[in-house]
Amino acid sequence: MRKTAPQTAVHAPTIAVVLPKNPSHNVVMRLEQATQSLAALATVYLVTEAAGHAQATLDAKRRDLQRFLAFYQALYTHDRPDVWFVSVTKAFLKALSREKLAQASLARIYATVRHFARWLHAKFPGLFPLGCPTEGVKPPVEPTPGWKGLTRLDEIRLTAAAQTLRARPGHGTNQGLRNHALLAVLLGSGLRVSEALGLDREQYTGKGFRRVQAKGGLVRDFVPLHREARTVLDAWLEAREDQAPPLFLTRTGRRMSRREAATSIGRIAAQANGRVSDEEHIDVSPHVLRHTFLRKLAEAKGVHYAREASGHQSDRYIWRYIKPDQQTLAEAVDELD
């Protein structure tokens, strides 16, 4: 008789899903050996089907699959795929619901597990005796995304703060000018911070960026940059005395990391928040700047322009970027005839 699902929450995995450093090495051998182990199949999935995604996305998918494999191992004490049934998927979702996870996290975890199951079902016919184990399972409700952009006043304050700090160059590199250029590029292009930090100076054409490596392994032929941002970026490139390829680099000549970029934007926000009340403090991150740019573009030119600038292939996600804040909505209502 089949065991029932455990009633405890899903804890740390007992099976590790390891992403190999050389994903293309011996993939054929893995495919032949993997069909007796969901952990092995998950590794193949990550290095083949999921390859090309940004590192942060790969890390999230690996964690999601680890969570499912921990549940599966606790249920069966093995990880053979032939007993993954619809009832197991439902039990996994029920176990997840007992944890204090954000609704968005629940939706993301299940989306990863469902995509993995569908990939297995298509790639290995007959692996699941009763069909795809996520078929007909109702997914967690995705929360309505909130808008995370800046108000027009906040944007002006941030830009003024960046200009103030620009007059205080740091040691080794003109950090104030660099940080102003980073802020300007993120506010003037809608690029994700990982995309902006991955740019080399030779990709800059004077009008925008060519051959931009985007999320999901896509390459965007050209990403335009706002004229005011181009002025700041031109000043940053002209002030540099090095020939290093990265568009944004540290004072030691290394390409900036996402954490360093967030810290740089945080310094600008701290300057902007210096003499205002707590209620007026600006809470900003690089992704907030992306939201702000896409909202402005949608308002000026329409949603289809914002969708194209976002780099998304589907209309599904664009609405989270262009949802107006309460101030903008109130202003729009007042402007009605």
Side-chain angles (χ1 to χ4, degrees):
M1 183 173 67
R2 192 187 313 145
K3 296 182 180 181
T4 58
Q7 295 302 306
T8 57
V10 182
H11 297 295
T14 56
I15 297 176
V17 181
V18 180
L19 183 60
K21 293 182 179 179
N22 300 307
S24 62
H25 182 62
N26 288 335
V27 170
V28 174
M29 182 183 70
R30 289 196 201 101
L31 283 171
E32 294 173 350
Q33 298 176 348
T35 54
Q36 297 303 310
S37 164
L38 275 177
L41 287 167
T43 300
V44 175
Y45 168 80
L46 288 170
V47 300
T48 55
E49 181 67 14
H53 286 85
Q55 188 59 48
T57 302
L58 280 175
D59 290 343
K61 287 180 178 292
R62 181 168 57 242
R63 290 192 298 269
D64 295 342
L65 292 177
Q66 284 175 329
R67 189 182 289 270
F68 173 71
L69 290 171
F71 171 84
Y72 199 89
Q73 173 77 1
L75 177 62
Y76 286 122
T77 68
H78 65 74
D79 71 328
R80 294 198 320 270
D82 60 317
V83 286
W84 183 3
F85 305 112
V86 167
S87 59
V88 174
T89 304
K90 290 180 177 179
F92 173 64
L93 284 177
K94 187 174 182 180
L96 280 182
S97 68
R98 290 192 289 268
E99 297 194 50
K100 295 181 179 180
L101 296 173
Q103 194 64 28
S105 297
L106 288 174
R108 190 206 66 238
I109 292 168
Y110 179 66
T112 298
V113 172
R114 181 177 59 187
H115 192 269
F116 175 52
R118 289 175 174 176
W119 177 80
L120 289 176
H121 186 55
K123 192 75 176 180
F124 303 98
L127 184 69
F128 301 126
L130 300 184
C132 182
T134 58
E135 186 67 30
V137 177
K138 186 178 180 180
V141 177
E142 292 195 39
T144 302
W147 186 76
K148 302 176 183 178
L150 301 171
T151 65
R152 291 177 178 84
L153 178 59
D154 288 343
E155 188 178 346
I156 292 171
R157 286 174 52 202
L158 271 183
T159 301
Q163 291 169 334
T164 299
L165 292 175
R166 180 172 165 175
R168 308 171 189 172
H171 298 291
T173 188
N174 194 334
Q175 294 183 44
L177 178 53
R178 179 203 63 190
N179 294 348
H180 187 192
L182 177 61
L183 176 75
V185 167
L186 294 174
L187 267 177
S189 68
L191 286 172
R192 300 175 179 87
V193 65
S194 58
E195 296 165 350
L197 297 179
L199 292 170
D200 287 335
R201 60 200 301 174
E202 58 89 18
Q203 290 175 263
Y204 179 52
T205 68
K207 294 289 186 181
F209 307 104
R210 60 184 178 86
R211 305 293 295 168
V212 176
Q213 184 71 45
K215 185 177 180 180
L218 300 175
V219 176
R220 298 175 63 184
D221 290 334
F222 183 72
V223 175
L225 183 64
H226 191 274
R227 61 182 180 278
E228 293 181 4
R230 298 199 301 265
T231 300
V232 182
L233 183 58
D234 288 341
W236 160 237
L237 293 176
E238 185 177 346
R240 283 175 55 173
E241 298 178 354
D242 66 275
Q243 298 300 318
L247 189 65
F248 297 107
L249 73 172
T250 66
R251 63 184 179 183
T252 61
R254 176 176 47 80
R255 189 183 298 275
M256 286 185 76
S257 68
R258 294 178 59 165
R259 178 176 295 179
E260 289 163 335
T263 299
S264 297
I265 299 300
R267 288 197 188 103
I268 297 174
Q271 174 68 24
N273 293 334
R275 297 184 179 181
V276 297
S277 65
D278 291 344
E279 291 76 15
E280 295 177 297
H281 273 203
I282 302 171
D283 185 13
V284 68
S285 69
H287 205 64
V288 167
L289 304 178
R290 171 173 163 85
H291 278 241
T292 303
F293 170 82
L294 293 172
R295 190 280 314 277
K296 289 171 62 180
L297 185 59
E299 289 180 349
K301 293 294 183 180
V303 175
H304 53 297
Y305 278 86
R307 176 187 175 278
E308 186 67 22
S310 73
H312 283 301
Q313 302 226 319
S314 169
D315 291 337
R316 177 184 178 188
Y317 298 102
I318 189 59
W319 300 105
R320 72 179 63 184
Y321 299 115
I322 62 174
K323 183 178 179 180
D325 61 284
Q326 295 300 315
Q327 176 186 328
T328 304
L329 181 60
E331 290 174 356
V333 171
D334 284 343
E335 292 171 2
L336 291 174
D337 293 333

